[in-house]
């Protein structure tokens, strides 16, 4: 995993989150996104930002994800900042 592509890093982070049932359920609960909507919007920037928001809000998960992806927590934070800078309005349809 290379930290040079924020979207690829966010997708890898999503894969890490979804690989654990507890993390996956917490992500869905906190974002309000449904599994179907997640599948439909997988590569959209606002979904990727939401995944990184989720990790950034809980340091133990951030550190565990970074370790699993063989990047640093700072790499994830930079990807979060880069994707967040696009400043898109998120509408989860709720």
């Amino acid at each position: 995993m290379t930290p040079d592509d924020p979207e690829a890093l966010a997708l890898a982070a999503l894969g890490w989150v979804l690989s654990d049932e507890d993390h996956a359920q917490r992500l869905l609960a906190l974002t309000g996104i449904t599994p179907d909507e997640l599948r439909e919007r997988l590569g959209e920037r606002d979904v990727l930002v939401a995944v990184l928001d989720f990790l950034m809000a809980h340091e133990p998960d951030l550190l565990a994800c970074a370790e699993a992806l063989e990047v640093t927590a700072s790499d994830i934070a930079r990807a979060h900042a880069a994707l967040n800078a696009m400043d898109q309005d998120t509408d989860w349809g709720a």
Side-chain angles (χ1 to χ4, degrees), residues 54-75:
F54 171 79
L55 290 172
M56 298 293 292
H58 189 67
E59 187 177 17
D61 287 347
L62 172 65
L63 295 175
C65 179
E67 182 178 340
L69 299 180
E70 299 180 349
V71 298
T72 66
S74 295
D75 292 332

Side-chain angles (χ1 to χ4, degrees), residues 8-90:
L9 185 53
L11 283 170
L14 175 59
W16 180 84
V17 169
L18 295 178
S19 72
D20 177 83
E21 183 68 25
D22 290 337
H23 289 127
Q25 290 303 318
R26 203 170 83 230
L27 173 70
L28 296 175
L30 291 174
T31 61
I33 194 168
T34 66
D36 288 338
E37 190 173 12
L38 181 59
R39 278 188 289 279
E40 290 171 14
R41 299 180 62 190
L42 190 58
E44 292 182 18
R45 194 169 312 271
D46 56 344
V47 171
L48 299 178
V49 168
V51 169
L52 297 183
D53 283 343
F54 171 79
L55 290 172
M56 298 293 292
H58 189 67
E59 187 177 17
D61 287 347
L62 172 65
L63 295 175
C65 179
E67 182 178 340
L69 299 180
E70 299 180 349
V71 298
T72 66
S74 295
D75 292 332
I76 294 174
R78 278 191 296 277
H80 179 256
L83 291 171
N84 216 14
M86 305 301 178
D87 196 33
Q88 291 189 356
D89 205 11
T90 302

